[in-house]
Amino acid sequence: MADITQIKAYVYTADEAHASAEGNVYLGIAGREFLLRKQGQDTTHQQGEKYTYVLGQDSNVADARYNDPTTPPLDTDDLDHYPVYLRLEPSGLEPAWCLEWVDVTVNPDTKVPHVFANPRLKGTDPKHRLWLDTSHGKTLYLKRSDDNL
């Protein structure tokens, strides 16, 4: 068990027509939800773009004070008691989002980082992409990466 001091989420939007998301994207981890939006970023995840969101230490997210895994303190033990997921809350005229890849690393600069991803998205083939929207699901669950075992 250790305190969660930092979470890094790597989120890639597919380079495909209409892949951009106009809604908010949330990370659920350790029993909480966090908004994944950088300072000054609108709610859109642009087609073909790769984003790195940092929560906690060296944060780069909007409203960092409220999207902080140290307030209230979270523990790595919580990672095994709650699901880890990425959730889109769609909005706008073209709310669907095509997700290419996501992985989440808890305490990345420690001896024991905790990595979560969805192996079904691995690869660049379009069949490994996932469209999220109100008409076909808004949530993608992640599991511990085999690389971390």
Side-chain angles (χ1 to χ4, degrees):
M1 277 190 317
D3 288 340
I4 295 175
T5 58
Q6 187 182 68
I7 301 170
K8 285 188 179 179
Y10 305 94
V11 180
Y12 304 168
T13 299
D15 192 6
E16 182 172 315
H18 309 290
S20 299
E22 292 186 24
N24 286 320
V25 174
Y26 296 91
L27 170 65
I29 192 165
R32 283 204 43 207
E33 239 186 20
F34 300 94
L35 176 63
L36 297 183
R37 183 185 322 150
K38 288 189 178 182
Q39 292 286 350
Q41 178 185 2
D42 62 11
T43 58
T44 303
H45 285 76
Q46 296 294 327
Q47 174 182 333
E49 292 294 319
K50 298 177 180 182
Y51 299 91
T52 301
Y53 298 98
V54 181
L55 304 160
Q57 181 183 343
D58 301 322
S59 177
N60 70 354
V61 297
D63 297 318
R65 177 175 141 196
Y66 302 108
N67 288 292
D68 184 350
T70 67
T71 309
L74 299 179
D75 192 281
T76 56
D77 186 51
D78 295 325
L79 298 171
D80 294 323
H81 297 286
Y82 301 99
V84 178
Y85 61 89
L86 200 67
R87 181 176 68 83
L88 171 68
E89 194 54 49
S91 66
L93 297 174
E94 293 189 30
W97 178 36
C98 188
L99 181 62
E100 177 88 26
W101 178 252
V102 59
D103 77 44
V104 174
T105 305
V106 175
N107 294 344
D109 298 325
T110 64
K111 288 183 180 182
V112 186
H114 301 267
V115 180
F116 298 85
N118 188 308
R120 305 291 183 246
L121 297 182
K122 197 159 194 145
T124 57
D125 189 301
K127 72 179 183 178
H128 294 280
R129 296 175 180 161
L130 178 66
W131 284 91
L132 298 172
D133 191 11
T134 55
S135 62
H136 38 270
K138 302 187 297 184
T139 304
L140 172 69
Y141 288 89
L142 309 176
K143 68 179 188 175
R144 284 189 185 272
S145 171
D146 293 339
D147 299 336
N148 195 42
L149 299 176

